[in-house]
Amino acid sequence: MLLKENKIVEKICEIPVTLEDVSESIFEGVSTKNILMHRLLLPEESDSDSYYLCEGLCKPVFSEPEIVYPYISGTFSEKFACSSPYRFMLPYELSEGDKKKEYNVVPPEELEARFPMAYRRIMEFKKQFRHDISPLTSADYSIKGKKLLEYFNTPKIIATEGYHLQAAYDAVGNSVFGDGCGIVLKDPSKYPYVTAVLNSPIARLFPAVCKSEMIFSDYTAPTVLRRFPIVFPDNRLTENLINTVSSYLLFLNRQKYATRYGVPDWLKELAGFYEQISSLLVLDAHFLNDIDPRLLDALEENIHPYAGDMDSEDSDSLLNALYYIKQQILETSGSGKFKFNVGLPGMLSFSTER
């Protein structure tokens, strides 16, 4: 029997646990009156760590790499892995001697002495865009985003809105974002699972869930996203599988984003295969509980955490291993096909044949 979309929305609304319950903090990103001054574009090919492009001035600019960080924009597909051609100049530094981690803006006189390239960049921008030749003050380049600075260099999930809700895991925690929100979990071991849930088809229904609860704000706003319902599987095997597949997708999406001249079809298909596996398992954990037993057996037999460091290993050998695992799953799950025994409405359905 086909589950109707409105029935699924009702089921999701009945889930008692929300993202707020499992999070230490859910917070908005930075805001600034001079985004074009802070936001820099990373050239496709550059041997210099301090060389960037300025969108507003349409010219090369230079800044010390110590105060330039990745900038996440929902315009780009940032699912599972953080990747963006943008950088963000953040003239802030960690305060010394305080027990609580706190980042403060670098005063103009220190900025000129310690980061002269950034100082010249700000002065040039101020003169050409704001037609202001007055002495530099910290108000000219400070930003608003207390929570982001509080959790800077802390691992987090960054949720943004592209075509729909998407989430990337920032393991280092030094990415800056404007739109969307940051999510710091109480239990760090839950990051792979929660990232997978926020990238699953359930996220496509979240706007409908908000509408049913008379919430009409941006659904990536912290006040809204904290109400995102989430279920952790009773079966530890399912959660372990999702965690492992999520780590595969983190690696595969990094490979996709690192491709300069177009992503090859085989890599798209490989990442798409594991994303479908992740979605199947997440949907099953939340409300279907009807996954094909042959597929579950095939996943348990073939999917295991990688023993080494995916970032330091040879990427070609890892890609070959993931392709081999895919083939083994398709062969052992029965005729290369797998599916739920229960139909899904259009918003949640997807092709699973390979």
Side-chain angles (χ1 to χ4, degrees):
M1 178 180 178
L2 185 67
L3 290 174
K4 300 298 182 181
E5 183 177 314
N6 59 342
K7 293 294 184 182
I8 292 181
V9 170
E10 290 178 9
K11 283 179 172 288
I12 294 176
C13 290
E14 293 171 358
I15 295 173
V17 179
T18 66
L19 192 58
E20 182 177 27
D21 296 322
V22 300
S23 299
E24 177 181 315
S25 183
I26 302 175
F27 51 90
E28 61 186 0
V30 301
S31 62
T32 170
K33 58 185 178 182
N34 292 319
I35 184 64
L36 290 180
M37 179 179 70
H38 291 271
R39 194 170 73 175
L40 306 172
L41 186 61
L42 192 66
E44 290 187 4
E45 296 183 8
S46 174
D47 296 330
S48 173
D49 291 336
S50 59
Y51 170 57
Y52 307 94
L53 296 175
C54 172
E55 295 176 283
L57 296 177
C58 298
K59 60 181 287 187
V61 294
F62 294 87
S63 183
E64 289 78 6
E66 297 93 328
I67 56 173
V68 176
Y69 301 93
Y71 181 79
I72 303 303
S73 169
T75 305
F76 295 88
S77 177
E78 278 128 3
K79 299 176 70 175
F80 292 95
C82 293
S83 177
S84 172
Y86 290 114
R87 295 295 182 265
F88 195 91
M89 184 179 66
L90 188 64
Y92 280 69
E93 63 179 351
L94 182 65
S95 298
E96 298 292 341
D98 293 334
K99 293 182 179 180
K100 183 179 179 182
K101 185 171 68 174
E102 184 176 342
Y103 282 83
N104 294 313
V105 65
V106 179
E109 59 276 9
E110 289 188 27
L111 189 70
E112 184 177 15
R114 296 170 53 197
F115 306 107
M117 288 190 291
Y119 180 87
R120 289 193 295 269
R121 153 73 175 159
I122 296 171
M123 287 296 293
E124 181 183 31
F125 192 95
K126 179 179 178 179
K127 179 180 179 181
Q128 294 194 20
F129 273 82
R130 299 175 60 192
H131 308 290
D132 186 349
I133 58 173
S134 64
L136 193 65
T137 68
S138 58
D140 291 320
Y141 53 89
S142 61
I143 57 99
K144 294 182 179 179
K146 181 179 178 181
K147 280 291 184 180
L148 184 141
L149 292 173
E150 181 181 339
Y151 287 101
F152 201 63
N153 284 328
T154 299
K156 64 180 69 69
I157 296 170
I158 299 175
T160 56
E161 181 182 356
Y163 292 110
H164 48 74
L165 178 64
Q166 56 193 23
Y169 176 51
D170 181 13
V172 178
N174 69 344
S175 294
V176 181
F177 59 94
D179 300 325
C181 65
I183 304 162
V184 176
L185 300 180
K186 295 175 182 177
D187 183 352
S189 69
K190 300 298 183 182
Y191 278 115
Y193 181 83
V194 174
T195 303
V197 173
L198 291 174
N199 284 313
S200 75
I202 292 176
R204 300 177 206 163
L205 280 179
F206 187 55
V209 172
C210 293
K211 185 177 179 180
S212 71
E213 297 182 355
M214 304 299 288
I215 300 172
F216 300 102
S217 300
D218 180 1
Y219 57 85
T220 57
T223 53
V224 177
L225 194 59
R226 61 170 50 110
R227 302 180 69 163
F228 191 102
I230 189 165
V231 173
F232 291 94
D234 294 330
N235 184 349
R236 185 63 188 175
L237 169 63
T238 300
E239 185 171 347
N240 288 340
L241 286 172
I242 293 172
N243 288 344
T244 303
V245 173
S246 188
S247 71
Y248 291 176
L249 285 165
L250 186 64
F251 167 75
L252 288 170
N253 280 287
R254 281 183 186 145
Q255 296 301 306
K256 286 171 59 179
Y257 302 149
T259 305
R260 291 182 176 179
Y261 304 107
V263 182
D265 290 340
W266 65 266
L267 183 53
K268 291 180 183 177
E269 292 177 2
L270 188 60
F273 171 81
Y274 285 106
E275 190 168 339
Q276 289 174 355
I277 292 291
S278 175
S279 294
L280 284 166
L281 291 169
V282 168
L283 288 170
D284 189 65
H286 274 69
F287 44 74
L288 289 178
N289 195 27
D290 195 38
I291 200 168
D292 190 320
R294 293 176 303 167
L295 173 60
L296 194 58
D297 290 341
L299 296 179
E300 183 179 5
E301 181 180 347
N302 292 283
I303 291 180
H304 305 285
Y306 185 69
D309 182 358
M310 284 188 164
D311 291 329
S312 62
E313 298 292 336
D314 177 64
S315 60
D316 288 339
S317 64
L318 281 174
L319 289 169
N320 289 334
L322 293 179
Y323 183 81
Y324 174 78
I325 292 171
K326 170 191 171 182
Q327 295 304 115
Q328 289 296 108
I329 291 171
L330 293 177
E331 290 175 7
T332 57
S333 61
S335 302
K337 300 179 182 180
F338 49 89
K339 62 183 182 65
F340 278 113
N341 296 328
V342 179
L344 294 169
M347 187 170 284
L348 293 180
S349 64
F350 43 83
S351 172
T352 57
E353 295 189 11
R354 285 289 182 271

Short mmCIF file of all heavy atoms in Angstrom, two decimals, residues 24 43 127 160 176 254 270 273:
data_model
loop_
_atom_site.label_atom_id
_atom_site.label_comp_id
_atom_site.label_asym_id
_atom_site.label_seq_id
_atom_site.Cartn_x
_atom_site.Cartn_y
_atom_site.Cartn_z
N GLU A 24 23.97 20.75 21.47
CA GLU A 24 24.46 21.68 22.48
C GLU A 24 24.09 23.11 22.10
O GLU A 24 23.74 23.93 22.95
CB GLU A 24 25.98 21.54 22.61
CG GLU A 24 26.61 22.51 23.59
CD GLU A 24 28.11 22.34 23.67
OE1 GLU A 24 28.58 21.19 23.74
OE2 GLU A 24 28.83 23.36 23.65
N PRO A 43 41.16 31.69 -6.52
CA PRO A 43 41.45 31.43 -7.94
C PRO A 43 41.54 29.93 -8.21
O PRO A 43 41.92 29.15 -7.34
CB PRO A 43 42.81 32.11 -8.17
CG PRO A 43 42.96 33.07 -7.03
CD PRO A 43 42.23 32.46 -5.88
N LYS A 127 37.86 53.04 0.95
CA LYS A 127 37.99 54.25 0.14
C LYS A 127 37.19 54.15 -1.15
O LYS A 127 36.47 55.09 -1.52
CB LYS A 127 39.47 54.50 -0.17
CG LYS A 127 39.72 55.73 -1.04
CD LYS A 127 41.20 55.90 -1.31
CE LYS A 127 41.46 57.10 -2.21
NZ LYS A 127 42.91 57.27 -2.49
N THR A 160 22.64 24.49 5.20
CA THR A 160 22.32 25.61 4.31
C THR A 160 21.17 25.20 3.40
O THR A 160 20.77 24.04 3.35
CB THR A 160 23.54 26.01 3.45
OG1 THR A 160 24.00 24.87 2.72
CG2 THR A 160 24.66 26.54 4.32
N VAL A 176 33.38 29.55 7.86
CA VAL A 176 32.49 30.67 8.14
C VAL A 176 31.28 30.54 7.22
O VAL A 176 31.40 30.09 6.08
CB VAL A 176 33.20 32.02 7.90
CG1 VAL A 176 32.28 33.19 8.21
CG2 VAL A 176 34.47 32.10 8.75
N ARG A 254 34.17 15.05 -1.26
CA ARG A 254 35.42 15.80 -1.33
C ARG A 254 36.09 15.58 -2.68
O ARG A 254 36.65 16.51 -3.28
CB ARG A 254 36.36 15.36 -0.21
CG ARG A 254 36.05 15.95 1.15
CD ARG A 254 37.08 15.50 2.15
NE ARG A 254 36.75 15.93 3.50
CZ ARG A 254 37.01 15.22 4.58
NH1 ARG A 254 37.59 14.03 4.46
NH2 ARG A 254 36.71 15.67 5.78
N LEU A 270 28.78 6.74 -8.41
CA LEU A 270 29.26 6.08 -7.19
C LEU A 270 28.77 6.82 -5.95
O LEU A 270 28.26 6.19 -5.00
CB LEU A 270 30.79 6.02 -7.21
CG LEU A 270 31.46 5.19 -6.10
CD1 LEU A 270 31.01 3.74 -6.17
CD2 LEU A 270 32.98 5.29 -6.20
N PHE A 273 25.01 6.28 -5.59
CA PHE A 273 24.68 4.95 -5.06
C PHE A 273 24.72 4.95 -3.54
O PHE A 273 23.77 4.51 -2.87
CB PHE A 273 25.66 3.92 -5.62
CG PHE A 273 25.55 2.57 -4.98
CD1 PHE A 273 24.56 1.68 -5.38
CD2 PHE A 273 26.42 2.18 -3.96
CE1 PHE A 273 24.45 0.43 -4.78
CE2 PHE A 273 26.31 0.94 -3.36
CZ PHE A 273 25.32 0.06 -3.77
#
